[in-house]
């Protein structure tokens, strides 16, 4: 699985992109606890294969987990 971190999530995680092996039963929360245990999840939203995802839902056979920080616009 590829993990992508954007903007402030990238800064806090310490990586922009990371390749890992993930079990289909793992959740985004469990994956991040394993690869970035000090990352505060607070305002970050997970997206799995281009869809917003629940932190505690299994990732299944997904190829990508994206960490999306809050966005603002005008």
């Amino acid at each position: 699985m590829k993990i992508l971190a954007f903007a402030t999530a990238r800064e806090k995680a310490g990586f922009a992109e990371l390749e890992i092996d993930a079990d289909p039963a793992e959740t985004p929360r469990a994956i991040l606890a394993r690869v970035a245990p000090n990352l505060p999840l607070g305002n970050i939203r997970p997206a799995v294969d281009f869809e917003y995802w629940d932190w505690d839902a299994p990732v299944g056979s997904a190829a990508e987990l994206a960490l999306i920080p809050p966005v603002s616009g005008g």
Side-chain angles (χ1 to χ4, degrees), residues 2 9-10 12 14 16 21 24-25 27 32 37 40 46 49 55 58-59 61 71:
K2 183 186 298 187
R10 175 180 57 233
K12 292 177 182 177
D21 290 323
T27 66
L32 268 289
D49 284 348
W55 278 111
V59 296
S61 61
V71 295

Side-chain angles (χ1 to χ4, degrees), residues 34-61:
R34 181 164 51 95
V35 300
N38 296 320
L39 177 66
L41 303 180
N43 293 334
I44 297 172
R45 298 248 350 239
V48 173
D49 284 348
F50 308 104
E51 292 188 31
Y52 283 118
W53 209 256
D54 185 278
W55 278 111
D56 299 310
V59 296
S61 61

